[in-house]
Amino acid sequence: MLDLQVIVAALGSVLQVSSLALIFVGVLGGIIVGIIPGLSTTMAVALMIPFTFSMAPERAMSLLVAVYVGGVSGGLITAILVRMPGTPAAIASLLDGYPMAQKGLAGKAIGNAIVASLFGTLISGCFLIVFAPILASFAIRFHFAEYVALGIFALTAVISISGNSVLRGLVTCILGLLVATIGLSPEDGLPRFTFGQNALVGGLGLIPALMGIFAVSQMMHEAAKGLKGHTQTPARLDRVLPTLSDITGNLFNYLRSGLIGTFIGVVPAMGGGPAGLIAYSQARNASRKPELFGTGHVPGVIAAETANNATIGGALIIALTLGIPGDPVTAILLGGLMIHGLQPGPQLFAANPAIVYSIYFTVFFGSLCMAAIMLTAVRVLARVVDIPKHLLIPGLLLLACTGTFSINNQLFDVYVMFGFGVLGYIFDRFRYPLPPFILGIILGPIIEGNFRKLWAAEQHPFDLFTRPIPLVLLLLSALFVCFSLYRRYRKPASEFVY
Amino acid sequence: MLIAALVIFWQSLFLPPPVWDPLGMAFWPRVLASAMVVMGLVLVLRRRIDGEDPEPFEGIAFLVVAVGCFYVLAMKWFGFLLVTPIFVFASVVLLGWPPSKRRATEAAFMAVVGTAFLYTLFQKWLLVSLPEAW
């Protein structure tokens, strides 16, 4: 039952000037951290915890949730402008965002991405309020078979994010899956493919891979072009606000991607990266012009950003209703609640509904604040594209090195980043698509770990075909593959390569 | 790719046998290595791929990585504060070749301001322990 008195009280609390100022500061801080490559939203939220000790619980949660909203959104700026995703959640945004920036449509790309982030957060916020208990019961049905099937479904995105060369995309994806096997095997507690090197026990890391594959390889290209006297392609900022036709023409895209993001967000340990890639893949599949995806197409940017922001509401659903942290950020948020003597889970709704509603309202006001800040500041931030290459490349390289180092305080991670940079450059030269490699690194541990647990528990993998959720996901994967192949083979052979 | 896949498969033979589950830690890498061998063979057999030459490699691109690695190596011994300004100055001058008085001024400005900004942001505000002089 909705208690109107409590809702009004929570709204009044959030609308106080001091609370709004806290939300503003939190969102701004989150955006800044999101923009800086290597710095994670988790780090930003964790850094804010000590400041909340003396605050009332409602305000403390408002600040932390605001940082979360800002952090998830900030990564899009560098992803679109310089192909350096500030956060893993922004991987899918660069697929069409960066080509748009290269064409001189950076403003349009960023504007649409910001509005999509806003809509994504609002859509998932609505789900958070209305369907939280239903979605939470859906999430707790996720066992090993469901995770494996969801991982396989996410892998089908390779078809969409490989451009015209699906076979090469599959090869890079398998390489990514293999890279993810390096390090300590979580199921066995034993090192694998570490060759006796202690530095490899922790694995090669997603952020160094992300920085290397996308950012360092791009800097290598740019440096070569710059020193050879090639003219640079300025990613000039045109208009920032999207046109009405951009919005109205993508209403279904917003809704579909928002739903995908919310559902993926509800599932623990999936996160914004896979959500963006799956939504991107589905948007391409539903499009009448799928060939435009990857070349700088607004619906691609919209799908990616809507979905990755929609994971916020999804992650909060399971965290608040069941007390299960779906990712490190929500784990810290739950820690923030417990510091104030509050127990997350069903009893939170009964004992402290005002806190729950404060969080709901913060998601809404935080997302509005995020859109306002980013749309206002984007012109200043985007001046980065006007910086001459001989200044920009060392600056970005320095930022990438320091950001990557800061993850584990290890110089080894920076070497790994450079190693992946060389690999990304070689892939690019041979026209092997890069995003499937990252998809493989993200999904590898999810698929392998859960498949082995499934087999260990049941002594067979038949749960994949006998349980309803995995069966539906596998059927959807098969349908998607068949449909994509059908569309692909309808095209003239000259339009694609293997 | 084929060689890498075969090396991985060979290496997986030395992994410990299954303990708590029937599949073991070598199962997944072997599946992937096998898939990679198949994909690699398909790619080789497709004549289309052979007809398409890779874009040429540029040595300067690898110079960026070499300089970057040298920077990281030097940082381990001499610390962030000493090495970073030198790295930034040298990179800006190299990438902005031929050198001029203006380029040198830009490089010096960026070296000092960039280092100070990053040091303040990471070391002071975010409490990240940046490498110090050996």
Side-chain angles (χ1 to χ4, degrees):
Chain A
M1 277 292 280
L2 294 174
D3 188 335
L4 270 180
Q5 266 190 331
V6 178
I7 294 172
V8 171
L11 182 61
S13 164
V14 172
L15 282 177
Q16 283 180 12
V17 178
S18 53
S19 294
L20 289 175
L22 262 184
I23 292 173
F24 179 84
V25 170
V27 170
L28 183 63
I31 290 171
I32 292 169
V33 167
I35 289 173
I36 299 173
L39 295 191
S40 62
T41 312
T42 313
M43 183 196 242
V45 177
L47 281 171
M48 284 294 156
I49 289 273
F51 295 103
T52 65
F53 289 158
S54 57
M55 291 179 190
E58 292 91 341
R59 293 203 174 169
M61 290 315 292
S62 289
L63 177 64
L64 298 179
V65 172
V67 175
Y68 185 20
V69 172
V72 173
S73 313
L76 69 92
I77 300 277
T78 41
I80 290 172
L81 289 176
V82 288
R83 207 173 86 150
M84 187 190 265
T87 57
I91 303 165
S93 311
L94 62 79
L95 296 174
D96 274 293
Y98 186 67
M100 281 182 78
Q102 291 281 290
K103 288 179 185 171
L105 298 169
K108 194 174 182 181
I110 294 175
N112 274 292
I114 294 169
V115 172
S117 296
L118 171 67
F119 284 174
T121 318
L122 294 179
I123 289 168
S124 71
C126 292
F127 271 85
L128 176 65
I129 293 172
V130 182
F131 298 114
I134 299 168
L135 284 172
S137 66
F138 165 76
I140 54 172
R141 287 186 186 186
F142 263 70
H143 296 289
F144 308 133
E146 282 77 5
Y147 275 104
V148 175
L150 187 59
I152 292 169
F153 180 64
L155 274 184
T156 60
V158 170
I159 296 171
S160 302
I161 60 177
S162 298
N164 286 333
S165 47
V166 176
L167 200 56
R168 293 176 190 198
L170 281 171
V171 170
T172 50
C173 180
I174 293 170
L175 259 181
L177 290 165
L178 274 170
V179 163
T181 64
I182 296 170
L184 199 73
S185 164
E187 284 70 39
D188 309 273
L190 292 170
R192 185 166 53 179
F193 303 134
T194 56
F195 306 101
Q197 301 296 312
N198 285 337
L200 282 172
V201 170
L204 291 178
L206 176 61
I207 299 289
L210 205 59
M211 288 291 113
I213 284 284
F214 290 114
V216 175
S217 67
Q218 184 63 24
M219 281 178 240
M220 289 168 74
H221 283 298
E222 297 296 341
K225 272 196 270 178
L227 286 184
K228 278 181 151 186
H230 288 206
T231 50
Q232 63 185 54
T233 317
R236 293 203 177 283
L237 205 63
D238 45 316
R239 57 174 296 160
V240 172
L241 279 175
T243 58
L244 196 61
S245 65
D246 280 338
I247 295 175
T248 52
N250 282 288
L251 284 178
F252 190 65
N253 191 3
Y254 287 118
L255 191 62
R256 181 185 53 236
S257 307
L259 284 173
I260 290 172
T262 307
F263 277 94
I264 300 290
V266 166
V267 180
M270 287 301 281
L277 289 168
I278 292 173
Y280 179 88
S281 162
Q282 296 307 316
R284 185 181 186 273
N285 211 29
S287 171
R288 287 179 188 166
K289 296 174 182 170
E291 69 279 2
L292 293 180
F293 279 72
T295 62
H297 194 38
V298 171
V301 177
I302 288 175
E305 272 306 315
T306 308
N308 83 38
N309 266 68
T311 56
I312 294 173
L316 285 174
I317 286 172
I318 187 156
L320 293 176
T321 53
L322 300 174
I324 299 171
D327 55 26
V329 184
T330 44
I332 295 170
L333 285 175
L334 293 183
L337 270 175
M338 290 158 89
I339 284 168
H340 286 88
L342 302 165
Q343 190 59 43
Q347 60 271 44
L348 184 69
F349 287 76
N352 302 88
I355 308 264
V356 177
Y357 289 119
S358 298
I359 293 172
Y360 291 171
F361 288 125
T362 304
V363 170
F364 283 97
F365 288 112
S367 59
L368 290 171
C369 207
M370 172 274 295
I373 291 171
M374 287 178 77
L375 286 171
T376 310
V378 72
R379 287 197 176 276
V380 180
L381 293 167
R383 296 298 281 274
V384 72
V385 299
D386 292 330
I387 299 171
K389 289 273 163 69
H390 69 277
L391 297 176
L392 184 64
I393 294 169
L396 290 176
L397 207 57
L398 188 58
L399 198 56
C401 286
T402 320
T404 303
F405 171 81
S406 71
I407 303 161
N408 296 316
N409 275 23
Q410 277 192 64
L411 287 174
F412 176 75
D413 286 339
V414 190
Y415 288 121
V416 171
M417 178 190 81
F418 281 119
F420 278 119
V422 172
L423 189 65
Y425 180 76
I426 294 170
F427 278 165
D428 253 359
R429 297 280 101 176
F430 280 92
R431 300 186 188 87
Y432 278 77
L434 303 177
F437 184 78
I438 298 295
L439 189 68
I441 293 183
I442 295 173
L443 294 175
I446 295 172
I447 297 174
E448 184 201 359
N450 286 291
F451 189 72
R452 286 183 60 194
K453 284 176 196 155
L454 169 68
W455 203 301
E458 307 291 336
Q459 302 298 314
H460 60 75
F462 301 137
D463 273 12
L464 281 169
F465 311 103
T466 53
R467 291 171 68 98
I469 295 174
L471 185 63
V472 169
L473 286 169
L474 289 178
L475 285 174
L476 282 175
S477 307
L479 270 175
F480 175 64
V481 171
C482 293
F483 182 63
S484 302
L485 289 175
Y486 168 71
R487 278 175 87 151
R488 188 162 287 270
Y489 282 100
R490 269 178 53 198
K491 287 198 315 187
S494 58
E495 282 185 29
F496 60 91
V497 292
Y498 295 96
Chain B
M1 296 279 183
L2 277 172
I3 294 167
L6 290 171
V7 167
I8 288 161
F9 197 93
W10 179 65
Q11 278 292 321
S12 74
L13 298 174
F14 300 103
L15 291 172
V19 179
W20 65 272
D21 72 335
L23 298 174
M25 65 198 295
F27 164 75
W28 182 240
R30 280 180 198 163
V31 169
L32 295 175
S34 307
M36 188 110 123
V37 169
V38 174
M39 294 288 173
L41 286 173
V42 174
L43 276 175
V44 168
L45 290 172
R46 293 271 184 187
R47 298 300 300 168
R48 286 166 200 271
I49 205 81
D50 297 333
E52 199 178 289
D53 292 327
E55 289 175 46
F57 288 93
E58 289 143 323
I60 296 160
F62 292 100
L63 188 68
V64 172
V65 173
V67 170
C69 287
F70 184 72
Y71 162 63
V72 181
L73 193 68
M75 193 155 55
K76 187 179 176 184
W77 298 103
F78 301 107
F80 178 86
L81 272 179
L82 188 65
V83 177
T84 303
I86 299 169
F87 163 73
V88 175
F89 185 85
S91 307
V92 172
V93 170
L94 273 173
L95 288 168
W97 203 263
S100 63
K101 198 175 171 184
R102 192 186 158 201
R103 288 273 153 89
T105 315
E106 279 176 350
F109 177 78
M110 198 173 149
V112 174
V113 173
T115 308
F117 170 72
L118 284 179
Y119 185 78
T120 312
L121 176 68
F122 283 90
Q123 181 91 27
K124 300 292 176 191
W125 292 352
L126 300 173
L127 308 175
V128 174
S129 301
L130 294 170
E132 290 181 1
W134 169 72

